[in-house]
Amino acid sequence: MLKGINESRIAVIGLGYVGLPLAAEFGKHFETIGFDINTKRVKELRTGYDVTLEMSEDELAEATKLTYTCESSDLKSANIFVVTVPTPINKNKQPDLTPLIKASETIGKTLKKGDIVIYESTVYPGATEEDCVPVLEHVSGLKFNQDFFAGYSPERINPGDKEHRVANILKVTSGSTPEAADFVNELYKTVITAGTYKAESIRVAEAAKVIENTQRDVNIALINELSMLFNRMGIDTEAVLKAAGTKWNFLPFRPGLVGGHCIGVDPYYLTHKAQGIGFHPNMILAGRRINDGMGEYVSEQLIKAMLKKRIHVNESRVLIMGFAFKENCPDLRNTRIIDIVQELNSYGVNVDVFDPWVSSEEAEREYDISLIESPEPGIYDAVILAVAHNEFKALGSEKIRAYGKADSVVYDLKYVLPHETADLRL
């Protein structure tokens, strides 16, 4: 039997871009434990500092009932566990459930009768009940839907977005039994001001989440392919999109690199499950192939433009402005800028990467990239404006061009510069 909402003692497992904002919201209403295996992260949060910049010190201070720990023994007092760990893909682009399984093992060691485990991490339909619940049962020795229950409420965090926050984004909820579904829904209603939508089942909620980003991925792939086509035809893609955008129901997608923790990853979870049941998802995989190839395409376009200007490619110097996966955000998870760096390196190009938002230490650890502190003017054979940070927009075309030599190439991937001031645009 589940306890009442007022008796909730919540543990949020994983304090990243998703977990911390959620834990802070819960921590305004319930006794909440924020758990993370990263001891440095926990120490910083105890001082009120969030390295992801999603939460300010004042916002964290408002969560008066939230405490932080990296000790699993501190989870024993909780009766509700919310899992917000990463769900990445491996080098073969297959789902890596390792963080999810380890989190389930940690919870299983402290799981008690009447407890409920709610997963927020993006997975394929069926993962919660087929992959995670058996771990909970095995470690705890308890019986699913008899001794403990499960729920799924997909995260909808948009890193760097200060308008759409966890509390004002409609939340999909679900549970393993009708009683559990009602409980999960009511729990989230206490902190989600935008309201909730109770899905018919956990599998429906899982599927809803994974197609949100798959839909965006396929749409961006279409625009990327159109950009390649219009480039061959000598037509400016942005001009076409602006013209088409005058129709009321035209979707305002733009070409570009597709990285981050969701759009470039989630489709592989869905295709993995589809192929496992003997279904070949043609459109989804085609979109992935196009988007995964954009780094190579950008690099080839730049090399061609350099050769047209008789710039010697081998040992040339190229500045890439931006390394985060999106603008005005330090998040570099699954950034596809690395594809451009590696492709240019294969041509013998010396690449400098500049990003005032990104941690140099994290870039070095995750991608073996040493970021430069600031670019020197007049030394580059080409400049790629890869991320539309506000700092880059403020520089303007004249200052950005000044980083390059007199006959350098400027490639604007994000439509930041006026059309006539860039040599190349997507």
Side-chain angles (χ1 to χ4, degrees):
M1 177 69 70
L2 290 164
K3 294 182 172 61
I5 294 291
N6 293 333
E7 299 178 69
S8 299
R9 296 185 304 278
I10 300 170
V12 177
I13 314 300
L15 298 176
Y17 285 86
V18 174
L20 180 63
L22 182 65
E25 289 299 327
F26 278 134
K28 297 175 184 177
H29 305 270
F30 306 100
E31 294 296 330
T32 303
I33 304 164
F35 173 84
D36 201 287
I37 59 174
N38 186 333
T39 56
K40 181 182 178 183
R41 173 74 164 154
V42 169
K43 288 178 181 177
E44 288 176 343
L45 290 173
R46 285 172 176 167
T47 69
Y49 174 64
D50 172 25
V51 70
T52 70
L53 305 181
E54 289 298 300
M55 304 290 294
S56 68
E57 186 175 351
D58 289 341
E59 287 173 325
L60 290 176
E62 292 175 6
T64 56
K65 297 183 178 182
L66 172 62
T67 58
Y68 307 101
T69 185
C70 52
E71 299 294 336
S72 58
S73 58
D74 292 335
L75 301 175
K76 292 179 179 179
S77 62
N79 54 23
I80 299 170
F81 301 88
V82 184
V83 180
T84 58
V85 298
T87 44
I89 53 176
N90 61 26
K91 63 181 181 180
N92 297 318
K93 297 178 181 176
Q94 294 295 311
D96 180 4
L97 298 183
T98 303
L100 208 57
I101 298 303
K102 288 188 176 297
S104 299
E105 289 173 346
T106 298
I107 293 168
K109 294 174 182 177
T110 60
L111 199 62
K112 306 173 296 300
K113 287 188 176 182
D115 288 357
I116 185 165
V117 184
I118 305 167
Y119 291 88
E120 289 214 0
S121 305
T122 302
V123 291
Y124 44 76
T128 297
E129 292 160 298
E130 296 167 10
D131 296 284
C132 299
V133 165
V135 174
L136 295 172
E137 285 188 312
H138 175 72
V139 176
S140 69
L142 300 176
K143 184 71 174 175
F144 178 49
N145 281 339
Q146 179 178 313
D147 299 322
F148 73 94
F149 305 87
Y152 185 79
S153 181
E155 60 89 3
R156 282 177 166 170
I157 294 294
N158 186 26
D161 189 340
K162 299 306 179 184
E163 179 182 353
H164 301 97
R165 312 297 295 277
V166 62
N168 62 20
I169 301 174
L170 187 74
K171 201 86 164 69
V172 174
T173 66
S174 64
S176 56
T177 66
E179 180 189 15
D182 289 340
F183 181 90
V184 173
N185 198 55
E186 290 303 313
L187 177 69
Y188 278 103
K189 273 186 177 180
T190 63
V191 296
I192 306 298
T193 57
T196 60
Y197 177 90
K198 186 169 63 172
E200 294 179 4
S201 67
I202 286 177
R203 287 166 63 88
V204 166
E206 291 169 327
K209 168 57 183 176
V210 79
I211 72 163
E212 289 175 13
N213 290 313
T214 300
Q215 182 188 63
R216 287 182 57 80
D217 191 47
V218 170
N219 276 287
I220 296 170
L222 170 63
I223 302 300
N224 276 335
E225 188 166 63
L226 290 174
S227 175
M228 297 177 195
L229 170 62
F230 294 145
N231 176 60
R232 288 196 178 191
M233 299 172 69
I235 300 174
D236 181 54
T237 302
E238 185 188 26
V240 174
L241 295 175
K242 282 183 176 179
T246 59
K247 190 169 187 282
W248 71 91
N249 59 353
F250 184 81
L251 301 177
F253 289 96
R254 289 294 184 270
L257 303 171
V258 182
H261 65 299
C262 286
I263 301 179
V265 172
D266 295 357
Y268 286 120
Y269 274 75
L270 189 55
T271 57
H272 170 80
K273 185 66 175 182
Q275 291 169 331
I277 60 172
F279 180 84
H280 185 73
N282 292 295
M283 182 175 289
I284 300 171
L285 288 173
R288 279 284 77 227
R289 284 193 296 271
I290 292 170
N291 289 339
D292 278 346
M294 286 306 290
E296 182 179 356
Y297 173 77
V298 166
S299 301
E300 289 178 352
Q301 293 300 108
L302 179 68
I303 295 299
K304 289 178 181 178
M306 292 171 67
L307 291 173
K308 284 181 180 179
K309 288 196 173 189
R310 299 185 181 279
I311 298 172
H312 190 62
V313 173
N314 192 34
E315 295 301 324
S316 62
R317 297 192 68 177
V318 172
L319 171 66
I320 296 180
M321 300 181 67
F323 194 61
F325 91 88
K326 64 181 292 188
E327 66 275 5
N328 306 320
C329 174
D331 193 351
L332 47 67
R333 289 174 295 173
N334 194 36
T335 176
R336 296 332 313 159
I337 310 296
I338 189 64
D339 296 342
I340 302 176
V341 175
Q342 293 172 344
E343 188 67 19
L344 291 177
N345 283 340
S346 73
Y347 285 95
V349 175
N350 297 308
V351 180
D352 284 347
V353 182
F354 171 57
D355 193 319
W357 279 84
V358 168
S359 162
S360 296
E361 179 183 327
E362 188 175 1
E364 183 80 40
R365 181 177 66 250
E366 298 296 329
Y367 297 99
D368 196 26
I369 292 289
S370 297
L371 303 182
I372 62 171
E373 292 187 9
S374 61
E376 293 182 39
I379 67 169
Y380 294 102
D381 297 291
V383 178
I384 301 177
L385 186 50
V387 185
H389 291 318
N390 287 341
E391 290 86 343
F392 297 162
K393 291 180 179 179
L395 286 173
S397 57
E398 188 174 332
K399 289 185 178 179
I400 289 174
R401 270 211 168 272
Y403 290 133
K405 299 174 183 176
D407 58 349
S408 61
V409 175
V410 173
Y411 196 165
D412 182 6
L413 302 186
K414 302 298 290 184
Y415 300 156
V416 169
L417 307 178
H419 182 202
E420 64 277 3
T421 63
D423 298 289
L424 292 171
R425 300 205 299 174
L426 275 180

